[in-house]
Amino acid sequence: MPDSISNIPTHVAIIMDGNGRWAKARGLPRIMGHKKGAEALRSALDACMKAGSRYLTIYAFSSENWKRPIVEISDLMELLRTFLDKEIAALHRGGIQLKVIGDLSKLAPDIRAQIEGAEALTKDNKKFNLIVALSYGARQEIIQAMRKVAELSASGRIAPDTIDESFISSLLYTHAIPDPDLLIRTAGEQRLSNFLLWQSAYTELYFTSVLWPDFTPKHLQEAIAEYSNRERRYGTRSE
Ligand code: IPE
Ligand code: IPE
Ligand code: MG
């Protein structure tokens, strides 16, 4: 990152979209797009660290992606197994802490075990935080938080005025993680697709038509450069 860019997002979130279109444009099976996408992720992670961010949250598989054909889902799960198998040692060496957020009960037991192992291995790493949203849906995340609120309330452990913003945040998968500063979505779609709805209340949104497998550190730097020129007002008056 050039020194002139001072305002670096602490937390970058990315909706990595367009793997299917990337493959289709080349007459390749969709899985090839997902594989190339996993490579793009490695360089984006590296670039985020170099830029000076501290957190990267990536949308890897949504709760709605379970509606895809079984063949694509099993290809993606296999890719995930390989990624966890091959990359965890390198992430750990790089001082990166891994956290997976989402409804993990839907995943195969061996993948859940791999995730638990990876999280346990990297839990004390402080250099950078990689958060993988997997089988993740923001509405489901809010539902599970509301259920906890109902339980605590029904058993008399909380009063209504205990429920404030920080209390709700503490019940989400992302408790202890700051809200994203910059959210990037690739492949031209301009929607959140059920990603971090509570957490992105004041996040700066950045949309690019670049397909995720084509997304390079240069594209990330462009997004960060644009972010650094934005004025975040949080409802206050403009300067
Ligand atoms: C994003 O790429 C990856 C996942 C949703 C798992 P897509 O598979 O959605 O690619 P497009 O949107 O069809 O091009
Ligand atoms: C969002 O992309 C989910 C991920 C990138 C993992 P989708 O491709 O599933 O989103 P929609 O269906 O176009 O909204
Ligand atoms: Mg898509």
Side-chain angles (χ1 to χ4, degrees):
M1 228 46 233
D3 291 342
S4 56
I5 296 182
S6 53
N7 197 7
I8 298 298
T10 301
H11 183 172
V12 177
I14 307 183
I15 302 176
M16 312 180 296
D17 198 15
N19 296 351
R21 277 163 278 176
W22 184 93
K24 194 172 176 208
R26 287 161 180 76
L28 296 169
R30 291 179 69 88
I31 184 62
M32 295 309 291
H34 294 312
K35 280 193 176 144
K36 191 83 173 88
E39 285 170 29
L41 169 59
R42 261 176 234 124
S43 47
L45 170 64
D46 214 39
C48 259
M49 290 179 78
K50 285 207 177 96
S53 293
R54 297 295 308 276
Y55 298 82
L56 171 65
T57 299
I58 48 148
Y59 206 5
F61 192 86
S62 74
S63 41
E64 288 72 29
N65 289 149
W66 290 112
K67 295 180 203 155
R68 293 197 179 192
I70 186 77
V71 182
E72 182 171 5
I73 294 175
S74 37
D75 280 350
L76 280 165
M77 293 300 146
E78 203 44 48
L79 191 61
L80 178 63
R81 282 187 182 92
T82 315
F83 183 85
L84 289 168
D85 197 39
K86 292 227 171 90
E87 299 296 328
I88 289 309
L91 293 182
H92 187 44
R93 272 200 307 279
I96 298 164
Q97 186 179 134
L98 177 83
K99 187 172 163 61
V100 180
I101 58 170
D103 179 3
L104 305 190
S105 70
K106 294 208 172 109
L107 298 171
D110 70 306
I111 296 184
R112 285 216 302 270
Q114 267 185 308
I115 290 170
E116 277 167 27
E119 287 182 335
L121 177 72
T122 62
K123 73 176 179 13
D124 296 322
N125 292 344
K126 297 275 181 282
K127 200 166 165 206
F128 193 82
N129 296 272
L130 174 64
I131 300 119
V132 179
L134 191 63
S135 186
Y136 173 89
R139 288 186 169 178
Q140 288 77 352
E141 179 183 36
I142 292 168
I143 289 167
Q144 63 81 37
M146 291 309 114
R147 286 184 177 151
K148 280 186 209 152
V149 170
E151 276 168 29
L152 292 167
S153 172
S155 59
R157 278 175 288 168
I158 56 162
D161 60 7
T162 308
I163 304 167
D164 58 12
E165 280 191 23
S166 65
F167 184 68
I168 298 289
S169 295
S170 76
L171 297 174
L172 300 177
Y173 300 135
T174 49
H175 61 92
I177 298 168
D179 288 341
D181 301 293
L182 168 65
L183 189 153
I184 299 169
R185 182 169 187 150
T186 59
E189 251 62 69
Q190 303 196 358
R191 55 178 170 253
L192 292 177
S193 301
N194 206 11
F195 188 46
L196 302 177
L197 297 183
W198 170 276
Q199 298 86 339
S200 60
Y202 268 101
T203 300
E204 294 296 325
L205 307 179
Y206 180 90
F207 299 105
T208 169
S209 59
V210 174
L211 303 176
W212 177 250
D214 290 328
F215 193 84
T216 63
K218 181 180 76 76
H219 297 117
L220 185 84
Q221 283 159 13
E222 282 167 8
I224 292 181
E226 176 166 330
Y227 168 88
S228 70
N229 285 324
R230 295 204 191 161
E231 186 196 348
R232 300 181 76 183
R233 288 196 285 278
Y234 302 99
T236 63
R237 293 197 325 189
S238 57
E239 288 305 316

